[in-house]
Amino acid sequence: MLKLTGISKGFAGVQALSGINFDVRAGEIHALVGENGAGKSTTIKIIAGALQPDAGEIAFDGKVVSWSGPADAKAAGIHVIYQEFVLFPHLTVAENIFLGHERRGRFGLIDHDRTRRDAADLLQRLGVAIDPDKIVSELTVADQQMVEISKALVHKVKLLILDEPTAVISGREADLLFARLAALKAEGVAIVYVSHRLEEIFQIADRVTVFKDGAHVATTDIGDVNRERLISLMVGRDLKDIFPPKRGTGGGKVTLKAENVSVAGRVRNASLELRAGEITALAGMVGAGRTEFAMAIFGGLPASSGTVWIDGEQVGMLSPAQSIRRGMGFVTEDRKGQGLAMLLDVAANVTAADLDAVTRRGVIDRRRENQIAREEIEKYRIACRGPSTPVATMSGGNQQKVIVARWARTSRKVLVLDEPTRGVDVGAKTEIYRIMRQLADDGIALLMISSELPEVVGMADRVVVMREGVVSGELAGAAINEAAIMRLATQHPSAAGSHP
């Protein structure tokens, strides 16, 4: 269906692509993987007509083509679904699906009845029950994604490209997406699937292509490669284990104890202990109440009951400001919406939780702020031009390291990390894991919330598992494995054992 031969592209002296070869067959899911900066996004833009290659040839559906713009590629049957959806939130589902291709009746007026009927037909083809008259802003993220795919079906899509489609969904919603992609594949649609989540690649892809530093590294059938080999191809070095050695359990004192914490409708009488020098994982299925439990401990959500002790002192339920003053930090799962100030630079973001350190007589001392930022950039190996680099221009992995650097400066006792490696590449994950282990070795108690079981098993000294708002059990040391976690995550709450 698609064949790229010798594609090259440069920007202001930087070579983004060097002689890329890539092909996709009709009726297959072809995964495209690589670290940030590998050339995936540039390749997608060239396929979609948003960029013109400096050299090379594009063949689509048996013909050599040269797109003058995205409209040409879309008219030919190429549709891209980006991580940030291109939807109008205040329009209906049907209006979004046919925007620019409105169903019209007599006198050129929009035929709203036909628009709704045709939208319903497309949604039914995808096997989803979404009301065509519903306002898009009222939909879940997963349903918005289905609306995006429905837009592609309007154009009789031949090639569908998905860029990090599960960055904003997981669990059952991701499984439903995979089922829809399988149905499209069965209809002969060629699918390019870009994701950092390697377990998804092995679950749904037929073939996988690896890019590194703008060059093609390898293309192979998914059955001919394992996870370790794929990681090695992506990072360019042998990586038997991306996780740093564990320190073990039993040595650290209890830094934080939370007992019988409840959040109305979300969490019921949940308890845990965090020990200095340990990484404790909070595991469970999506919707288990993990984030709500951690937010209640930190003070970000109101708790209907519960008590917290810090270093043996009963402190009750704190506010976020009180938690920060007592040496706690919280890295949220939504780095762009809740974590970073996207319009500010690295220096401002690094010091945001500790303005007293850079304020003199009520005015921010930029020289001091930049000095601190330079120290953190070096300490955490943040790839940027310097303290004045806008965070919006940085990769996801480096943005995440900026947030971790911010909270590590103030988190003297406890640091909560909610999905700390979501949406970052394997190389950046390895760096974040190293940082987390170093913080633990420095005596901080870490609480990691993660939906990736390999990450939980690889990083956690102890695992507290939740199901439907209840702590269903705890694992430590050699007892930590994916099967044991899943048993606790899926057992009925009434079967949950007591938690100390």
Side-chain angles (χ1 to χ4, degrees), residues 150-199:
S150 297
K151 286 168 57 180
L153 300 183
V154 171
H155 305 281
K156 297 181 180 179
V157 61
K158 297 178 180 177
L159 173 64
L160 180 64
I161 303 173
L162 299 101
D163 187 10
E164 297 290 348
T166 58
V168 289
I169 63 173
S170 59
R172 180 175 177 275
E173 294 176 336
D175 290 338
L176 290 174
L177 170 65
F178 299 156
R180 306 298 176 261
L181 296 183
L184 291 174
K185 169 186 165 181
E187 294 179 10
V189 176
I191 299 171
V192 176
Y193 191 90
V194 180
S195 179
H196 291 309
R197 295 184 174 181
L198 299 189
E199 66 275 12

Side-chain angles (χ1 to χ4, degrees), residues 122-436:
L122 289 174
L123 293 166
Q124 184 178 18
R125 178 181 166 190
L126 285 175
V128 294
I130 302 175
D131 183 354
D133 289 324
K134 192 148 189 173
I135 301 299
V136 161
S137 62
E138 299 174 359
L139 298 178
T140 65
V141 173
D143 282 345
Q144 289 182 24
Q145 197 168 59
M146 291 300 110
V147 174
E148 280 280 12
I149 295 177
S150 297
K151 286 168 57 180
L153 300 183
V154 171
H155 305 281
K156 297 181 180 179
V157 61
K158 297 178 180 177
L159 173 64
L160 180 64
I161 303 173
L162 299 101
D163 187 10
E164 297 290 348
T166 58
V168 289
I169 63 173
S170 59
R172 180 175 177 275
E173 294 176 336
D175 290 338
L176 290 174
L177 170 65
F178 299 156
R180 306 298 176 261
L181 296 183
L184 291 174
K185 169 186 165 181
E187 294 179 10
V189 176
I191 299 171
V192 176
Y193 191 90
V194 180
S195 179
H196 291 309
R197 295 184 174 181
L198 299 189
E199 66 275 12
E200 296 176 356
I201 302 303
F202 288 98
Q203 181 178 349
I204 69 170
D206 300 296
R207 289 192 296 159
V208 58
T209 288
V210 180
F211 285 178
K212 180 173 174 57
D213 298 331
H216 175 274
V217 175
T219 296
T220 179
D221 289 342
I222 200 66
D224 294 336
V225 67
N226 59 25
R227 188 174 188 273
E228 289 71 23
R229 177 57 180 159
L230 192 56
I231 291 172
S232 177
L233 290 170
M234 291 168 63
V235 301
R237 60 183 185 274
D238 193 16
L239 250 182
K240 294 181 180 179
D241 192 351
I242 65 172
F243 301 107
K246 296 184 181 183
R247 178 178 178 178
T249 60
K253 68 174 183 177
V254 176
T255 300
L256 181 144
K257 179 180 178 182
E259 193 169 86
N260 296 325
V261 174
S262 296
V263 177
R266 307 285 186 86
V267 181
R268 300 194 306 279
N269 297 323
S271 303
L272 61 72
E273 292 181 349
L274 304 180
R275 299 186 176 106
E278 282 187 4
I279 298 176
T280 301
L282 197 53
M285 308 298 286
V286 173
R290 299 166 301 164
T291 295
E292 292 83 355
F293 183 24
M295 285 294 290
I297 294 171
F298 185 70
L301 278 178
S304 54
S305 67
T307 305
V308 172
W309 288 261
I310 296 179
D311 285 340
E313 177 189 355
Q314 183 174 331
V315 296
M317 301 304 295
L318 304 174
S319 68
Q322 291 170 329
S323 294
I324 292 170
R325 283 196 293 270
R326 288 182 175 271
M328 293 179 62
F330 199 116
V331 177
T332 64
E333 62 179 327
D334 182 2
R335 63 173 170 268
K336 291 184 179 180
Q338 299 177 344
L340 292 168
M342 296 300 291
L343 300 180
L344 300 181
D345 58 19
V346 172
N349 273 278
V350 164
T351 60
D354 188 21
L355 291 179
D356 288 345
V358 294
T359 302
R360 301 290 182 270
R361 297 178 180 177
V363 178
I364 292 178
D365 183 343
R366 284 291 291 178
R367 180 177 297 180
R368 173 62 177 154
E369 189 175 62
N370 286 336
Q371 177 187 346
I372 290 173
R374 277 190 289 270
E375 293 170 356
E376 302 301 327
I377 288 169
E378 180 177 359
K379 181 177 181 181
Y380 294 104
R381 303 176 190 173
I382 301 171
C384 63
R385 296 190 304 273
S388 61
T389 302
V391 295
T393 65
M394 298 166 64
S395 70
N398 284 297
Q399 288 178 347
Q400 192 73 354
K401 286 193 275 187
V402 168
I403 301 175
V404 173
R406 173 203 296 170
W407 287 111
R409 294 191 65 251
T410 59
S411 304
R412 302 180 306 279
K413 297 178 180 178
V414 176
L415 179 59
V416 181
L417 302 106
D418 194 353
E419 303 289 358
T421 64
R422 173 173 288 173
V424 306
D425 62 61
V426 173
K429 282 186 177 184
T430 304
E431 275 293 293
I432 292 171
Y433 296 151
R434 178 192 63 80
I435 292 167
M436 290 171 61

